[in-house]
Amino acid sequence: MAFVQAQSDNLPVVNSFMLMEFIKSNDCFNQNEIRGVKAEWSMRGTYIESAVGYVQLKREGNICTVTSEICPEHRIRTKNYKIIMIVDEEQEVVDTVKCFDCSAAEGGCKHALAFLMWVHKKSTQPSPISIECYWKKPILSAAKSTIIKTDNFGVTPDFDSKVYAGFLDVVVSKGKEVHSNNQLVKYYKSFSPDHDRTHLGLHKLLSEFQKCGGKTYVHFLSFAENTMTNELCSTIVDVTKDQSASHEWHELRYGRITASKIYDAIHCHKEDGSFINSILGAQKLTETKSIKRGKVLEAAVKKELEKKLQKKIQDVGLILNGKYPELGASPDGIL
């Protein structure tokens, strides 16, 4: 049987149970590097609706094969990716969902998940009024025809950095004078080694290093070691004892590989995966039941451990070391 155009009345049904069973049993979507992240990105309705197109299918007995093209989100000027899905309609099992053109296809890419979610949505919520044909160009592909050239932006005025030097400090100062509660006034602090410990944040260290004309990683390590003195690092351990309740703790952890992420860092082989997103704050950590339970029981567990060991467990904050500026650790306590 030849392929026919997919419509709202002939798609194979992929219910919620089939969807979750496929994800749970497929190793490609359960690895530590991608756990939950690809699913989160692929479930966004705006992307699913605009990226999928040219859907067709054929049935051979109880096996339904569905093919489609999906427009890559960040490379819309490249050709669409080919996707195939195989569903056993009698056993109600999704056997295969595979993308053929994405570089991450072998590890289970988000385009495969996006198409799976698309079929799930369309097959369980068909159009109630009329039959809709899915053999059409993806909406996102239309962006390929729109080209913006630098000429469209006009002439860029000359920028004199000396004229605007200190402008941000002035804005923040005025905001404090009128007791403004905006985010800029709340979180911005000038680089001041004598009064502001957050200048040891990795982002601010890199900014200052660049302002000083630094170029190489080796030179940055030397700069960081000179800036992150043992005295300052010891002070940070004390002032960040409240850990997640401390603003400085969050500021200084940003961009650093912390102890809880060391394992992920060792096993990460990608430059733009979910691990990098988590380090840069682009991925929100979901507070699971286990995490909530740990927060509630932490103090009680410490006391019980102190009784058994007959030793006092000292509360500490973020531990930094100038020789390794990209690393940090916040242990629950130190004996």
Side-chain angles (χ1 to χ4, degrees):
M1 180 179 177
F3 279 93
V4 297
Q5 295 179 359
Q7 300 178 157
S8 55
D9 64 343
N10 67 357
L11 278 177
V13 175
V14 176
N15 57 42
S16 298
F17 178 79
M18 295 167 65
L19 173 72
M20 299 311 297
E21 188 65 26
F22 174 78
I23 295 176
K24 182 181 73 173
S25 60
N26 194 312
D27 291 339
C28 291
F29 302 109
N30 283 285
Q31 296 174 11
N32 188 62
E33 166 65 17
I34 62 175
R35 184 172 55 237
V37 178
K38 289 183 179 176
E40 181 181 348
W41 277 79
S42 302
M43 289 179 186
R44 290 176 302 139
T46 53
Y47 178 61
I48 294 174
E49 290 293 336
S50 61
V52 176
Y54 297 123
V55 186
Q56 58 182 349
L57 58 85
K58 71 174 181 179
R59 284 183 168 86
E60 296 175 329
N62 60 307
I63 302 299
C64 181
T65 303
V66 189
T67 66
S68 171
E69 291 185 12
I70 187 165
C71 184
E73 184 178 20
H74 301 297
R75 296 182 179 179
I76 58 175
R77 295 188 57 77
T78 62
K79 67 176 184 178
N80 294 331
Y81 295 159
K82 304 289 185 181
I83 305 281
I84 187 171
M85 174 190 291
I86 299 175
V87 180
D88 187 329
E89 295 185 284
E90 182 177 330
Q91 299 295 324
E92 296 188 344
V93 173
V94 178
D95 181 69
T96 302
V97 183
K98 184 174 178 60
C99 175
F100 288 96
D101 301 302
C102 175
S103 59
E106 293 302 321
C109 66
K110 68 178 181 182
H111 309 106
L113 269 181
F115 184 56
L116 176 63
M117 294 302 303
W118 183 89
V119 175
H120 165 65
K121 180 179 179 180
K122 295 297 184 181
S123 64
T124 54
Q125 299 177 357
S127 174
I129 301 175
S130 60
I131 297 175
E132 183 180 359
C133 179
Y134 301 129
W135 180 264
K136 53 188 176 183
K137 185 177 182 179
I139 297 173
L140 196 58
S141 294
K144 296 179 181 179
S145 59
T146 304
I147 301 176
I148 301 176
K149 297 181 179 180
T150 54
D151 296 340
N152 302 131
F153 292 101
V155 179
T156 303
D158 293 332
F159 179 79
D160 187 350
S161 59
K162 294 181 179 179
V163 175
Y164 295 97
F167 173 74
L168 187 55
D169 291 329
V170 173
V171 172
V172 173
S173 176
K174 291 295 183 182
K176 290 180 178 180
E177 286 180 13
V178 298
H179 305 289
S180 174
N181 194 35
N182 64 62
Q183 298 298 306
L184 181 62
V185 173
K186 186 176 181 181
Y187 291 109
Y188 176 78
K189 294 181 180 180
S190 301
F191 182 80
S192 176
D194 297 328
H195 304 94
D196 180 16
R197 290 174 292 267
T198 60
H199 75 281
L200 297 189
L202 192 60
H203 177 75
K204 290 187 178 180
L205 277 175
L206 287 167
S207 297
E208 291 302 317
F209 174 67
Q210 189 177 36
K211 289 179 183 178
C212 295
K215 298 292 184 182
T216 69
Y217 177 65
V218 174
H219 291 157
F220 171 70
L221 290 179
S222 177
F223 171 83
E225 187 172 3
N226 290 332
T227 306
M228 297 173 61
T229 63
N230 291 335
E231 182 181 356
L232 277 174
C233 290
S234 297
T235 302
I236 286 171
V237 173
D238 292 329
V239 300
T240 58
K241 282 183 179 180
D242 293 335
Q243 297 199 3
S244 60
S246 165
H247 164 66
E248 286 183 308
W249 184 80
H250 289 284
E251 179 77 18
L252 293 167
R253 287 178 82 251
Y254 173 71
R256 284 189 163 97
I257 300 174
T258 54
S260 59
K261 291 185 171 67
I262 286 292
Y263 178 86
D264 292 345
I266 293 172
H267 293 83
C268 179
H269 303 291
K270 298 168 63 178
E271 296 181 356
D272 57 353
S274 59
F275 170 69
I276 303 299
N277 288 338
S278 68
I279 293 295
L280 298 179
Q283 175 189 334
K284 184 178 180 180
L285 175 64
T286 302
E287 192 173 72
T288 63
K289 290 183 179 179
S290 298
I291 294 176
K292 291 179 180 178
R293 181 174 180 271
K295 288 183 176 181
V296 172
L297 298 177
E298 182 177 335
V301 171
K302 280 185 180 179
K303 288 183 179 179
E304 189 64 27
L305 188 59
E306 286 177 339
K307 290 180 182 178
K308 290 189 175 182
L309 298 177
Q310 295 295 308
K311 291 183 179 180
K312 177 67 177 177
I313 297 178
Q314 179 185 355
D315 291 330
V316 294
L318 181 65
I319 299 175
L320 300 177
N321 188 313
K323 292 183 178 180
Y324 310 99
E326 72 278 17
L327 303 179
S330 301
D332 294 329
I334 293 180
L335 290 172

